[in-house]
Amino acid sequence: MAVVREVGAEGGAPPATVVLVEVGPRVPDVVAVLGRLTGRGAEHCRFLTGRVPVAVLRDVPEEDAEAAVAALRAAGATAEAGGPAGATAEAGGPVRVSDLDRALVQGRERPLPPEVERLLRDVGAPPRLAAHLRLVHDVACELVEWIRQYSPDLVVDREAVLFGAATHDIGKALHVAELSGPGSAHERAGRALLLARGVAPRLARFAATHGSWTDGAVTMEDLLVSVADKVWKGKRVTELEDLVVDRLAGATGDERWEVFLALDGFLGEVAADADRRLAFHTAFPVVRGAGSPAALGREPGRT
């Protein structure tokens, strides 16, 4: 679809602006559509999805604007022609990409859920935190898919695992020193931060549970988030992995040693890419990204 032809000065409908209002769950599809509409690369289009509401086309013919809106809606997004005046950027103009933006869009890892990206921007997350959460989330995606294939009858709350992996260290936006040093203050703080922003307790809990797996109330979902948080950097924790083996053996009826070998082989393959992940992780600074200072200073539970 041609969206860049000039609007004639003679008569006709006035030029229109296309605004991406909400990205929706199918982020890669929306990014692909934005690439076709704007002629820009995937990184730029991923940047736009993190800035909603955002003007993605300006001064285009009305018929092209309507076609662009239809294409974005078909990809699962919410879009409109001539939308809110508060759109924050335009697709054709220069874009300043911050370290936080790069952490959220560069690399081969899967994108974080849009609501998590917005939360990280809102709290002014350090770029390294965003990179870390993407890495753990990506490994969690691989892990839950392996579990699904290995034990199809085992019920695992995939949404909870992936959201938990994407937000487990969110409290480090408040306790930045714990990004590069020891400390557990981020755990309770992260859970409180998520609850204060309306996240359901079943999803917010991972911020507080990812560092401990000995409690009798720990679920398979908790264990998977904890494993992903270790193995992304090549760290293997026998006690933790044994708990996953026990759950899988109980669900499948397989001999425990068989389950151990299968899980060990899979995690070994994941850990083999640890050096690349660590290089990506350390490429980003431990400083706050662009965000709302007021959001960072807000007490948990207050709006």
Side-chain angles (χ1 to χ4, degrees):
M1 176 179 65
V3 295
V4 293
R5 65 174 183 258
E6 290 187 13
V7 181
E10 300 178 2
T17 294
V18 176
V19 175
L20 177 63
V21 180
E22 290 289 343
V23 179
R26 293 158 49 198
V27 180
D29 292 344
V30 175
V31 169
V33 171
L34 287 174
R36 294 196 298 270
L37 294 176
T38 67
R40 304 297 293 269
E43 183 173 325
H44 180 95
C45 295
R46 282 282 303 154
F47 174 84
L48 292 176
T49 64
R51 285 291 189 267
V52 292
V54 58
V56 296
L57 293 172
R58 291 185 186 274
D59 298 330
V60 296
E62 183 178 13
E63 64 186 75
D64 286 347
E66 291 175 353
V69 167
L72 288 166
R73 289 177 177 172
T78 301
E80 56 188 39
T88 59
E90 61 180 283
V95 174
R96 177 183 177 275
V97 181
S98 69
D99 287 330
L100 178 58
D101 296 321
R102 291 193 303 107
L104 290 170
V105 302
Q106 289 183 349
R108 68 176 69 168
E109 277 66 34
R110 297 167 178 82
L112 292 170
E115 65 271 23
V116 175
E117 285 198 10
R118 288 193 290 271
L119 175 61
L120 292 175
R121 296 183 191 281
D122 180 52
V123 302
R128 187 170 297 179
L129 172 59
H132 172 67
L133 293 176
R134 275 190 70 201
L135 290 164
V136 177
H137 171 264
D138 190 67
V139 170
C141 290
E142 295 184 34
L143 183 53
V144 294
E145 176 58 22
W146 183 86
I147 293 286
R148 185 191 67 80
Q149 294 183 19
Y150 185 82
S151 180
D153 295 331
L154 178 62
V155 178
V156 173
D157 188 340
R158 183 179 185 275
E159 177 196 9
V161 173
L162 299 188
F163 187 89
T167 58
H168 71 283
D169 270 351
I170 189 68
K172 290 183 180 180
L174 304 175
H175 297 275
V176 180
E178 294 184 9
L179 268 172
S180 54
S184 59
H186 71 278
E187 295 173 3
R188 291 183 62 184
R191 181 176 182 275
L193 185 154
L194 293 172
L195 291 174
R197 284 161 175 75
V199 175
R202 75 178 182 87
L203 299 177
R205 76 174 193 269
F206 296 97
T209 64
H210 67 274
S212 174
W213 46 84
T214 57
D215 190 304
V218 166
T219 67
M220 184 63 160
E221 289 78 11
D222 294 307
L223 294 176
L224 295 180
V225 171
S226 296
V227 169
D229 190 33
K230 299 299 183 184
V231 76
W232 76 271
K233 56 185 176 183
K235 185 173 183 179
R236 305 290 300 275
V237 181
T238 301
E239 177 189 15
L240 171 59
E241 293 176 17
D242 281 348
L243 293 173
V244 177
V245 169
D246 291 339
R247 304 281 180 115
L248 284 173
T252 62
D254 293 342
E255 293 291 338
R256 192 181 184 283
W257 66 267
E258 293 179 308
V259 179
F260 168 80
L261 288 177
L263 180 64
D264 182 66
F266 167 73
L267 294 180
E269 292 177 1
V270 174
D273 201 25
D275 287 346
R276 181 196 62 81
R277 294 192 193 94
L278 286 166
F280 178 79
H281 182 258
T282 56
F284 297 97
V286 186
V287 294
R288 295 198 187 282
S292 168
L296 289 168
R298 190 183 307 150
E299 297 177 11
R302 295 184 61 183
T303 59

